[in-house]
Amino acid sequence: MPTAPAAHADPSVERVETAVYTVPTDGPEGDGTLAWSSTTLVLARVHSGATTGIGFTYGAAATAQVIEELLADQVTGQSAGDVPAAHEAMHRAVRNAGRPGLVAGALSAVDIALWDLKARLAGLPMGGLLGRCRPQVPVYGSGGFTPYTARRQESQLREWVEEQDIPRVKIKIGEHWGQEEKRDLERVARARKSIGDAELYVDANGAYGAKQAIRLAPRLADQGVIWFEEPVSSDDLAGLARVRSAVTADVAAGEYGYTLPYFWHMISSGAVDCLQADVTRCGGITGWLRAAALAHAANLQISGHCAPHLHAHAAASVPNVRHLEWFHDHVRIEQLLFEGTLDPQGGVVAPGASDAPGLGLALRTDVADRYRTG
């Protein structure tokens, strides 16, 4: 009787490393409730033999400390093929530290790195590992920051629409916590003139109250606005639902979803027409795919918030993706720090066009080291 071949153990995760990079903005940036002059990217690396997977999140530098002190031991020694097991171990380990916020960003970065490692060990692009529903994913240009001058806003919008042929764009409104309604409306009107017939989206970042958003909505509709993101705080699910029932634009929110129950409550309360989820906050690729499944069960689409190069493969693998946010701040940083970034020409990205393994990204160490802060 022939002898069965000996089973080979899957390679394991041998160590986890972090690095922190802080990149200044290329001009004043802000939205309705916050302004910033730099953005911090926290990188996680997971190693198995000579193979390394990478993931990252955007947030405070202390995120790296969470990875090193709370998460690294949970994934070290785990099978590199069993990402859900490592994800669950991390989830349980942070119970007393508090899952939402900075901790969720740390968990997300490691989860993404684990998926990248698994795909690289298999010699597959991430899309080949996850399986694809589509070869391309639509994107929308996102920026239009409230401190921008009229000239800067127009230049940015025209670059997306005319040079890159992206047929949908978004600007920030709700300046000074909704106290600059006249300027908000003037900027929306200028945006419409700049982009012609392209789709126009706005994002208030929770700056308005519900009645204020409802009062302004017809004026936005006059300019053809079809996407009203966070008209009120995403913590105010009842307020979002009120706005949603009263306006013609699609109401979207979810970027501050850190756990699956949060998305379930947002969906079941009727708060949104399209669910947003951020792979760098919601639990990485594992969490994002689960959020997409929740949305699909409710006959809703999902949109990837920011960090487009981390979302692209996962977004191509789900049937209900609407689009990804081609966010100026993150796109600029990802193109600066990584090789293998995507081209949004024509308003889509094609993560399956390359045979590069994993996410297809490689850190430009010589460039990145200039911005390393931790």
Side-chain angles (χ1 to χ4, degrees):
M1 185 173 180
T3 303
H8 295 283
D10 288 337
S12 62
V13 177
E14 296 170 3
R15 68 185 190 281
V16 179
E17 296 176 331
T18 65
V20 179
Y21 305 95
T22 301
V23 181
T25 60
D26 61 355
E29 292 185 0
D31 54 38
T33 61
L34 188 68
W36 58 94
S37 59
S38 64
T39 299
T40 297
L41 180 150
V42 179
L43 182 73
R45 293 188 185 94
V46 292
H47 301 274
S48 180
T51 305
T52 300
I54 62 171
F56 55 86
T57 188
Y58 292 97
T63 305
Q65 184 178 352
V66 175
I67 294 173
E68 293 162 0
E69 295 184 4
L70 297 180
L71 303 180
D73 286 349
Q74 301 301 317
V75 302
T76 301
Q78 292 267 10
S79 166
D82 294 334
V83 180
H87 182 98
E88 184 64 15
M90 291 190 290
H91 176 75
R92 294 180 179 184
V94 299
R95 185 194 69 182
N96 287 348
R99 167 68 188 270
L102 183 150
V103 172
L107 190 155
S108 299
V110 177
D111 180 272
I112 295 164
L114 289 168
W115 280 106
D116 189 46
L117 175 65
K118 181 175 180 176
R120 290 174 187 269
L121 287 169
L124 293 171
M126 186 69 70
L129 180 67
L130 299 176
R132 301 184 184 94
C133 277
R134 66 191 73 232
Q136 298 175 326
V137 181
V139 299
Y140 66 89
S142 172
F145 301 111
T146 54
Y148 276 0
T149 63
R151 178 176 295 182
R152 177 71 176 96
Q153 176 180 294
E154 180 172 21
S155 173
Q156 184 180 69
L157 294 176
R158 287 187 178 276
E159 179 180 357
W160 286 325
V161 173
E162 296 177 3
E163 297 180 24
Q164 296 183 315
D165 199 25
I166 299 175
R168 54 195 81 84
V169 298
K170 185 177 82 179
I171 70 167
K172 302 287 191 179
I173 61 172
E175 188 171 359
H176 295 146
W177 287 92
Q179 297 179 39
E180 302 287 346
E181 291 182 10
K182 181 180 178 181
R183 186 167 190 267
D184 288 342
L185 294 171
E186 289 173 348
R187 291 179 57 248
V188 171
R190 284 200 300 268
R192 171 50 67 199
K193 290 180 180 178
S194 298
I195 68 174
D197 294 332
E199 294 181 6
L200 180 56
Y201 303 168
V202 297
D203 182 0
N205 287 97
Y208 296 138
K211 286 189 175 181
Q212 183 183 20
I214 291 168
R215 286 197 306 269
L216 288 172
R219 304 284 299 277
L220 299 175
D222 288 344
Q223 299 298 333
V225 171
I226 64 170
W227 171 279
F228 200 169
E229 185 174 329
E230 283 197 315
V232 301
S233 169
S234 57
D235 291 328
D236 182 8
L237 298 184
L240 282 171
R242 286 177 62 197
V243 175
R244 182 191 180 200
S245 68
V247 307
T248 57
D250 285 347
V251 170
E255 66 187 73
Y256 297 109
Y258 300 108
T259 65
L260 210 57
Y262 175 90
F263 293 117
W264 182 83
H265 288 302
M266 177 166 277
I267 292 169
S268 63
S269 66
V272 294
D273 294 289
C274 182
L275 185 70
Q276 290 179 292
D278 187 326
V279 73
T280 74
R281 296 173 177 167
C282 73
I285 291 173
T286 302
W288 199 89
L289 293 176
R290 291 172 179 174
L294 273 183
H296 194 208
N299 294 308
L300 293 179
Q301 291 181 308
I302 188 168
S303 179
H305 173 262
C306 292
H309 294 93
L310 295 184
H311 281 95
H313 288 278
S317 76
V318 301
N320 58 322
V321 67
R322 179 161 176 170
H323 43 41
L324 300 180
E325 183 172 12
W326 195 253
F327 182 54
H328 170 75
D329 197 22
H330 291 180
V331 166
R332 188 177 63 86
I333 291 170
E334 290 163 20
Q335 290 175 339
L336 175 69
L337 299 185
F338 297 98
E339 296 177 355
T341 54
L342 300 168
D343 182 357
Q345 190 69 34
V348 296
V349 291
S354 170
D355 291 330
L359 294 167
L361 300 176
L363 185 69
R364 301 178 190 267
T365 305
D366 56 333
V367 175
D369 283 348
R370 292 180 233 153
Y371 300 95
R372 187 161 182 175
T373 53

